[in-house]
Amino acid sequence: MNILWTALAICLIVSFVFYVFAVSWQRTLRGHSRAIHTLYQKLESLESMEAPFLRRKIGELMPSQLEEVCIFNLSFSERFWRRSLEMTDKQVCDIRENAALLGSVKLDVWRRHTTITVTELLPLAKSSGWQSRTLEIYGSDHATATRLWELCLGPNGNSAERGGRCLELRYRDKVLELAISRSQTLTEAHGSKSSDERIFFRVPLDAEHLADYRVDDADLREFPEGEMAKDRMVARFSNEDEDAGISWHLSIRALDGGISDKWRFMEPTQVRRIS
């Protein structure tokens, strides 16, 4: 009889232990199920981007995408120096010897800002070859003109001569413009903006606005050899103003957020100084 009661007690203890384990396991499974359900809901919200707060946070945390790359080249003929700028032989010689020669302007258009790389040949670095400098322009700066390249037209690059005239390549609100105006120092000294400014051209960095300047594959010889490859992903534009003596070339490549290893960027045309 004692053995029977002992066996019954052991069965009750074992049943109670199994019940406790079952309840605990059920509670654990229920907690895991809730966590999986919550995670699934968050994943659905992430995929559908329904939550405005989530979209904003992702936009702030994810890296800015490179949307477009533009390469701009500019060249001047003898007609430009002697007729458009009315310079003498000595002044043209001074420009060629002492001024910084513009090679190319590369614009990396990111989602939130634009990186501009100006390649030029400096007068004190003939043996060093082409030099590059970089400017960063953000959305709030687009309405303000940024001077990319400046050429003072006085002897030895002195802007105080010839009325302080300077030739400037500027970037403003996704437009490149070439203008001749008085130097910034003299303008500030007079306390007013120069009234005799002359704009030679404005080039919008937009393929739709440059439709009249589109270059076909048959005209690719107008570009330097680095751009001769026929790439359908690049839109090329060119214009030559024979009367003013100015010609420019522009290539625009839409990247949609990425860069391929096989893409090549146009290098500046090599220029030899003439003494």
Side-chain angles (χ1 to χ4, degrees):
M1 192 65 179
N2 292 334
I3 296 176
L4 182 60
W5 284 109
T6 302
L8 182 59
I10 293 174
C11 290
L12 290 175
I13 293 172
V14 172
S15 300
F16 178 76
V17 170
F18 273 109
Y19 173 77
V20 171
F21 279 140
V23 172
S24 177
W25 184 249
Q26 185 179 17
R27 188 181 299 111
T28 302
L29 290 179
R30 191 181 298 114
H32 289 173
S33 178
R34 284 197 300 267
I36 292 174
H37 181 68
T38 302
L39 182 61
Y40 180 75
Q41 288 180 331
K42 291 182 178 180
L43 183 60
E44 281 188 331
S45 299
L46 179 63
E47 290 178 345
S48 59
M49 299 295 288
E50 293 176 351
F53 174 77
L54 186 60
R55 288 201 303 268
R56 185 172 66 254
K57 294 299 291 183
I58 291 177
E60 293 174 355
L61 295 176
M62 70 184 303
S64 179
Q65 291 185 346
L66 181 60
E67 299 177 343
E68 201 171 63
V69 173
C70 305
I71 305 292
F72 180 80
N73 284 82
L74 178 64
S75 60
F76 306 108
S77 67
E78 288 294 322
R79 187 182 184 89
F80 173 76
W81 301 111
R82 304 183 187 280
R83 178 171 177 176
S84 298
L85 300 184
E86 299 178 349
M87 304 184 74
T88 64
D89 292 342
K90 183 179 184 303
Q91 290 166 343
V92 173
C93 183
D94 288 337
I95 290 292
R96 289 171 172 167
E97 283 297 318
N98 302 304
L101 300 179
L102 179 66
S104 68
V105 177
K106 175 186 173 187
L107 301 99
D108 297 322
V109 182
W110 299 82
R111 177 180 299 177
R112 300 184 187 89
H113 73 286
T114 300
T115 301
I116 303 179
T117 303
V118 181
T119 303
E120 55 191 353
L121 188 62
L122 303 179
L124 300 179
K126 297 180 181 179
S127 61
S128 301
W130 295 96
Q131 306 293 316
S132 298
R133 51 188 173 85
T134 303
L135 302 89
E136 300 284 346
I137 299 178
Y138 292 85
S140 59
D141 302 328
H142 278 179
T144 305
T146 301
R147 187 185 297 109
L148 305 181
W149 174 72
E150 180 181 41
L151 177 63
C152 296
L153 301 179
N156 299 320
N158 185 3
S159 62
E161 300 292 336
R162 295 182 60 81
R165 296 194 308 163
C166 286
L167 186 66
E168 300 177 349
L169 180 65
R170 302 184 295 224
Y171 174 82
R172 187 206 317 263
D173 196 19
K174 297 183 179 180
V175 174
L176 290 172
E177 62 182 23
L178 182 72
I180 183 172
S181 61
R182 301 186 67 185
S183 67
Q184 184 179 13
T185 303
L186 293 179
T187 301
E188 292 175 351
H190 287 79
S192 62
K193 192 173 183 179
S194 175
S195 59
D196 59 350
E197 180 179 80
R198 176 186 176 185
I199 304 294
F200 288 103
F201 64 71
R202 286 190 175 94
V203 180
L205 303 178
D206 186 344
E208 294 183 1
H209 292 87
L210 292 173
D212 294 338
Y213 303 101
R214 189 70 180 257
V215 177
D216 297 329
D217 289 343
D219 300 323
L220 287 180
R221 63 181 181 276
E222 296 293 335
F223 286 83
E225 294 182 359
E227 280 287 281
M228 293 286 286
K230 297 181 180 180
D231 189 342
R232 306 300 186 195
M233 301 181 66
V234 178
R236 298 180 177 89
F237 309 91
S238 178
N239 182 56
E240 182 176 359
D241 187 343
E242 295 183 356
D243 185 59
I246 302 173
S247 63
W248 56 262
H249 305 286
L250 174 67
S251 60
I252 301 177
R253 187 192 301 271
L255 300 181
D256 297 328
I259 299 179
S260 172
D261 293 336
K262 67 180 181 180
W263 293 345
R264 295 177 296 176
F265 296 131
M266 182 169 61
E267 297 295 335
T269 307
Q270 297 299 318
V271 178
R272 182 171 60 87
R273 288 186 178 272
I274 302 176
S275 56

